[in-house]
């Protein structure tokens, strides 16, 4: 993970003898052209950490790389909708997805999802939550040629990361899910809706109190929540029938994968 993250392309700074910046040259990697200004976890404002957790993975600091509660919640939501309308990928899984070979990492297949889950578990065991979060925050594409939260702060608000207001922070955090759809330059209304959704999730999650009580994500990781194997075995036939009634191959694969991975992880956690 460290080697991969350290080799990721970033903005080239041309600096004068007195230390002033003369130019910033965007990186180019294949079809990707943009700016990236990597920051350490200690440099990420608490408010930004809260916003990203609310937008992407509210239980990041308590699960073990794969959030079984989110898997169950997504399976229920997708069954009710009759289609895949909600995912359960964690921040760790999104980092793992970028570590997979290109020909594997973008496929919507059972093989990729299993590899993604297993790799996420390995990453979570080997690296600190702070390091995983830092990698995610620096690598996520957020639109407008911005890769990572520091580049997004400059691209959208022409300011440094630590100077963002709460609403600005929430807007940037919400872009990772669909930077094209929620692009404030192309569709300001959509960007505002997504921003407000993130703000509501932050309030509903009670992050302010959580950060005070636990000293924030710098505190020791919380225990990994485990699901009882007997409960999983009892739920599996029900979920299987859900997939049969819905009748879509993709949905059946998602359900089957979710509980197969849950059963497997339950044996090794």
């Amino acid at each position: 993970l460290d080697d991969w993250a350290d080799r990721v392309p970033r903005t080239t700074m041309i600096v004068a003898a007195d230390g002033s910046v003369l130019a910033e040259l965007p990186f180019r990697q294949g079809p990707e052209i943009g700016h990236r200004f990597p920051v350490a976890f200690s440099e990420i404002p608490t408010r930004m950490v809260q916003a990203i957790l609310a937008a992407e993975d509210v239980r990041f600091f308590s699960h073990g790389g794969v959030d079984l509660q989110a898997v169950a919640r997504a399976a229920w939501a997708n069954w009710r909708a009759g289609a895949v309308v909600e995912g359960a990928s964690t921040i760790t899984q999104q980092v793992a997805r970028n570590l997979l070979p290109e020909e594997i990492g973008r496929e919507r297949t059972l093989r990729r999802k299993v590899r993604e889950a297993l790799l996420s578990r390995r990453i979570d065991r080997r690296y600190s939550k702070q390091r995983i979060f830092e990698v995610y925050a620096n690598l996520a594409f957020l639109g407008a040629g911005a890769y990572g939260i520091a580049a997004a702060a400059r691209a959208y608000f022409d300011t440094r990361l630590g100077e963002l207001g709460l609403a600005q922070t929430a807007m940037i955090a919400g872009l990772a899910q669909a930077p094209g759809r929620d692009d404030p330059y192309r569709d300001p209304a959509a960007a505002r809706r997504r921003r407000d959704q993130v703000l509501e999730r932050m309030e509903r999650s009670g992050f302010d109190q959580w950060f005070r009580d636990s000293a924030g994500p710098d505190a020791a990781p919380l225990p990994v929540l485990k699901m009882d194997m007997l409960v999983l075995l009892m739920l599996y036939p029900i979920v299987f029938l859900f997939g049969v009634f819905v009748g879509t191959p993709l949905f059946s694969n998602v359900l089957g994968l979710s509980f197969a991975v849950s059963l497997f992880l339950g044996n090794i956690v």
Side-chain angles (χ1 to χ4, degrees), residues 17-18 35 98 104 112 126 133 139 149 205 238 240 265:
D18 62 358
H35 285 281
N98 285 283
I104 300 287
R112 179 184 69 80
R126 181 171 179 179
F133 189 96
L139 296 180
I149 54 178
S205 299
I238 300 175
F240 175 78
L265 295 178

Side-chain angles (χ1 to χ4, degrees), residues 156-157 167 171 175 178-197:
Y156 292 110
F157 302 109
M171 195 213 78
L175 285 170
R181 182 191 64 197
D182 298 328
D183 186 341
Y185 293 137
R186 298 175 55 186
D187 193 340
R192 282 193 293 270
R193 285 194 297 271
R194 178 60 176 156
R195 177 204 64 192
D196 293 345
Q197 184 182 56

Side-chain angles (χ1 to χ4, degrees), residues 85-103:
V85 297
E86 181 176 331
S89 290
T90 64
I91 285 175
T92 311
Q93 285 176 274
Q94 293 181 58
V95 170
R97 193 174 302 150
N98 285 283
L99 287 174
L100 297 175
E102 187 63 27
E103 64 272 19

Side-chain angles (χ1 to χ4, degrees), residues 12 18 31 35 37 40 42 45 63 70 76 89 94 97 120 125 132 142 151 159 162 164 168 196 208 235 239 253 261:
T12 299
D18 62 358
H35 285 281
F37 304 96
S42 59
H63 63 62
W76 173 249
S89 290
Q94 293 181 58
R97 193 174 302 150
S120 298
R125 289 174 172 176
I132 297 170
L142 300 172
T159 189
L164 292 170
Q168 295 170 330
D196 293 345
D208 289 339
L235 286 176
V239 175
N253 281 340
V261 170

Side-chain angles (χ1 to χ4, degrees), residues 54-55 166 170 192-207:
L166 177 59
R192 282 193 293 270
R193 285 194 297 271
R194 178 60 176 156
R195 177 204 64 192
D196 293 345
Q197 184 182 56
V198 173
L199 289 171
E200 290 173 5
R201 289 182 179 181
M202 291 176 70
E203 182 179 7
R204 188 165 64 245
S205 299
F207 278 120

Side-chain angles (χ1 to χ4, degrees), residues 58-59 67-78 86-88:
V58 71
R59 286 175 12 91
D67 190 347
L68 302 182
Q69 289 187 16
V71 169
R73 183 180 65 249
W76 173 249
N78 293 338
E86 181 176 331

